Amino acid sequence: SQELEQSPQSLIVQEGKNLTINCTSSKTLYGLYWYKQKYGEGLIFLMMLQKGGEEKSHEKITAKLDEKKQQSSLHITASQPSHAGIYLCGADNQGGSEKLVFGKGTKLTVNP
Amino acid sequence: GAVVSQHPSWVICKSGTSVKIECRSLDFQATTMFWYRQFPKQSLMLMATSNEGSKATYEQGVEKDKFLINHASLTLSTLTVTSAHPEDSSFYICSANPGDTQYFGPGTRLTVL
């Protein structure tokens, strides 16, 4: 079965700093999703990547899917306290199945 | 984005009782919905796929008689935790796809005493 490994597990940064979160898959990714979750709450959809080499941006968050489609990175520029939360990557490992496998998440803390 | 709601947002029950959790797609129809479970500091684990008009399909290791799923309409799926025990205490989240991506509900925290 597919496994997703996220790194780092947790991250503490000063407001205004840039940061990167990585998600590595044990198998080829057919679709890679990034979500943000606050503890005890639902998931907020950030971005979905499907094509190798694809890069998407939304406000100060950029996500990339590498050419080999086995790793994705999420980059936040000039972080703010509102970016704090748990970032989860999820993968569609069957190509259109809609079933997602998730990584364990990266807990981000942004200190003002 | 599409909205998926869940009810209740939290529930506390006694061991041995059954608890029903609802998942609704508010602005789209969903023939398929997904139920996930999340334990503290763990990631989401897919429990089952809820199919409108037919039986749910369960992931390996998930007891179908324990977690009853009913997808009665194109906008509603229910998960019933039967004879709940403390080890069933968890955060249950559903998701549905209106056509572009999976959207998740706000989750239901179940605590079994």
Side-chain angles (χ1 to χ4, degrees):
Chain A
S1 61
Q2 182 168 33
E3 292 185 357
L4 295 179
E5 186 172 330
Q6 286 186 237
S7 63
Q9 290 184 337
S10 65
L11 191 56
I12 301 173
V13 300
Q14 204 66 30
E15 183 177 359
K17 296 295 184 182
N18 302 335
L19 63 105
T20 300
I21 299 169
N22 294 303
C23 176
T24 302
S25 172
S26 60
K27 295 183 179 181
T28 298
L29 293 164
Y30 290 95
L32 190 287
Y33 299 75
W34 282 101
Y35 291 89
K36 179 185 174 185
Q37 183 184 31
K38 294 200 171 181
Y39 180 72
E41 299 182 12
L43 277 65
I44 300 169
F45 171 72
L46 296 176
M47 274 170 278
M48 180 183 72
L49 305 165
Q50 289 183 298
K51 299 177 182 177
E54 187 174 12
E55 179 175 322
K56 288 186 177 179
S57 294
H58 177 66
E59 296 181 343
K60 294 184 178 180
I61 301 175
T62 301
K64 300 178 183 180
L65 182 61
D66 78 355
E67 292 287 346
K68 294 183 180 179
K69 297 177 69 176
Q70 285 199 249
Q71 187 174 49
S72 179
S73 61
L74 185 81
H75 184 76
I76 298 178
T77 304
S79 58
Q80 300 170 355
S82 60
H83 287 128
I86 300 170
Y87 289 82
L88 291 161
C89 63
D92 166 11
N93 62 355
Q94 298 180 19
S97 73
E98 298 188 275
K99 294 183 180 182
L100 299 184
V101 172
F102 284 90
K104 290 187 176 181
T106 295
K107 182 180 178 182
L108 172 64
T109 303
V110 181
N111 291 325
Chain B
V3 179
V4 176
S5 71
Q6 282 185 240
H7 177 79
S9 56
W10 59 270
V11 56
I12 301 173
C13 69
K14 292 183 179 180
S15 185
T17 60
S18 295
V19 175
K20 181 185 285 187
I21 302 170
E22 294 184 349
C23 176
R24 292 182 186 274
S25 56
L26 296 184
D27 51 2
F28 65 99
Q29 293 182 332
T31 55
T32 304
M33 292 184 177
F34 299 90
W35 287 96
Y36 292 81
R37 180 168 54 182
Q38 185 180 37
F39 290 106
K41 297 186 179 181
Q42 297 293 317
S43 190
L44 280 75
M45 295 295 293
L46 179 65
M47 298 176 65
T49 303
S50 175
N51 303 298
E52 190 269 336
S54 63
K55 292 182 179 180
T57 52
Y58 292 80
E59 296 301 301
Q60 191 172 11
V62 178
E63 301 175 56
K64 61 180 181 180
D65 295 330
K66 173 78 173 174
F67 300 98
L68 300 179
I69 292 173
N70 183 21
H71 198 139
S73 75
L74 288 171
T75 59
L76 173 64
S77 173
T78 60
L79 169 69
T80 301
V81 183
T82 62
S83 186
H85 291 284
E87 57 265 31
D88 297 322
S89 298
S90 188
F91 192 58
Y92 293 85
I93 310 178
C94 66
S95 75
N97 186 342
D100 53 352
T101 194
Q102 285 291 329
Y103 289 92
F104 285 79
T108 297
R109 180 158 302 282
L110 170 62
T111 302
V112 185
L113 303 176

